[in-house]
Each structure stands twice: as C-alpha cells, then as structure tokens.
Amino acid sequence: MSWAESVTQCVQSGGMLTSVEDLAESNFLVEHADLYTSQTSGFWIGIYRNVNGKLLWQDNSALDFVNWGEGQPSVDQLDYCVELSAFSGYWSILPCSSQKGFICKKAKIHPLLFVLYLFTDAKKDKAHGHMNMWLLLTLVLIILLGMGFMIYFLFKIKTQNETEREAKQHSTLLEYSRVLTGKDDENDSTNDKEKNEHSVV
C-alpha cells in the first residue's frame, strides 16, 4: 500500500501509523517486522514532513529518537515518506506511492474502557454494534437471573431448615408437656380414689 492508503487503514482501525519513541520500541518493531520479510522489505511509519519541511510524527509525539540509515534523510526529498527496513530496522525515505507494508499504533486503553468500546462501538458496522449490545444485555440478564435463582433457593433452604427446627422444638415441648400433664393426672386420680375411700368408710 502507499503511505496515504496506509494512513487511511490505520485511522479506520482506530490508530495511526506508528511512532518510534526509543531504541527498545525500534527493536521490538524490527523483531516483529522480521516475520514478514518474505512479503515486504519495509513498513511505512508515521513520520511526515510538514509544509515547512520539518519532520513530525503523525500522532504528535516528540521526535526525540531517530534511526536513520546511512545518508538519510535527504533534504531534497521533501515530498517523500519514511519506511522502516524489515531487515535492519533503519529508516529511509521513499516516494510515498511506493508499495510497502505498514505498522499501526493504537493508544493504550484501560481494559474496562476496551470492553465498553467493544460493546458500544457501532461506527463501523451498526448491525455488528447492535448485535454486541444485545449479547452484552443477554449476558447481564442471564447473570442476574442466575443470581436471583441462587438467592431464592438459598432463602428457601434457610426457611425450610428454620421451619423444621421450630417444628422439632414444638414437638419436644408438646412431649414434655404431656409427660408433665400425665403425671398430674395420675396424682389427681390417686387423690380422688383416696377421697372416695374416706367418704365410703
């Protein structure tokens, strides 16, 4: 792809052509670019020249680190763009219409914001965005129903255990009451017999 097509592709995917902030990032890119050397010799990166000829990163980060190849950049090639060599990692200037691979860079997103973005991003494909929203709502509903059933059954088990415990206590009290009442009835009948015997004599 040309540099302009690469910029468009990165923007459509929510990023920009990569900036390279230090040697560690440059080495990281070269290690991963090396996997694609059979497909391309280099990758577009996000450096461009403004109308005054000043080199800038597309994402407006500071241009503190450079990794130019030997003899680069050439001052007379103002309308050219910058590629990262897949073999060496050095940068060179090429015509912007050259067909190269490209490396996009996206801003870091907090995981929670990423999930929110994933389920609410409907800019690219409204049907896909709506489907994701329905999936999220269905998942939340299933979780809430599951929690509701769990609470219901736990409450039911707890009340059932309490009812059984109360019934057991009540039957124990009844049994104890019968025992006490039964002894009193025997004493009363014995006293009645003695009264009857005394009255007969």
Side-chain angles (χ1 to χ4, degrees):
M1 287 190 175
S2 70
W3 190 85
E5 291 169 331
S6 300
V7 168
T8 302
Q9 284 291 324
C10 285
V11 169
Q12 286 177 348
S13 68
M16 295 185 177
L17 281 176
T18 191
S19 56
V20 184
E21 297 176 14
D22 53 32
L23 185 59
E25 188 172 13
S26 179
N27 290 338
F28 173 82
L29 292 174
V30 171
E31 284 176 28
H32 289 83
D34 191 40
L35 301 172
Y36 300 96
T37 54
S38 63
Q39 298 169 2
T40 184
S41 60
F43 297 87
W44 294 122
I45 57 176
I47 288 183
Y48 71 98
R49 288 187 191 263
N50 68 6
V51 291
N52 299 328
K54 183 177 179 183
L55 290 171
L56 301 169
W57 284 115
Q58 184 190 7
D59 65 4
N60 296 320
S61 58
L63 187 60
D64 294 334
F65 172 80
V66 292
N67 197 21
W68 294 110
E70 193 172 321
Q72 298 289 331
S74 176
V75 178
D76 60 337
Q77 298 172 323
L78 293 178
D79 59 341
Y80 282 30
C81 298
V82 180
E83 76 148 344
L84 174 128
S85 169
F87 302 103
S88 66
Y90 290 118
W91 305 349
S92 57
I93 293 182
L94 294 175
C96 296
S97 60
S98 300
Q99 299 298 301
K100 297 290 177 181
F102 60 96
I103 303 170
C104 297
K105 188 181 204 179
K106 292 184 179 183
K108 291 179 184 174
I109 299 176
H110 188 277
L112 184 60
L113 293 176
F114 175 73
V115 170
L116 185 63
Y117 173 79
L118 177 68
F119 285 108
T120 59
D121 181 32
K123 285 185 257 178
K124 287 186 240 171
D125 182 2
K126 286 194 175 200
H128 181 71
H130 289 297
M131 185 178 78
N132 281 340
M133 183 58 74
W134 283 112
L135 286 173
L136 177 64
L137 289 174
T138 304
L139 181 64
V140 167
L141 184 62
I142 290 170
I143 290 170
L144 289 174
L145 283 172
M147 289 174 59
F149 279 120
M150 187 173 70
I151 290 169
Y152 170 75
F153 285 116
L154 288 175
F155 180 74
K156 187 174 179 179
I157 289 169
K158 182 180 176 187
T159 55
Q160 185 177 5
N161 287 342
E162 287 176 1
T163 306
E164 287 174 2
R165 191 177 315 121
E166 287 174 9
K168 197 174 195 180
Q169 284 177 344
H170 185 68
S171 69
T172 304
L173 287 173
L174 279 175
E175 194 176 307
Y176 184 68
S177 169
R178 284 185 192 146
V179 168
L180 289 176
T181 309
K183 284 184 180 177
D184 288 342
D185 286 344
E186 286 176 19
N187 289 340
D188 288 343
S189 64
T190 306
N191 288 338
D192 285 342
K193 281 183 186 177
E194 287 177 4
K195 285 181 185 176
N196 287 339
E197 285 175 8
H198 286 285
S199 59
V200 172
V201 176

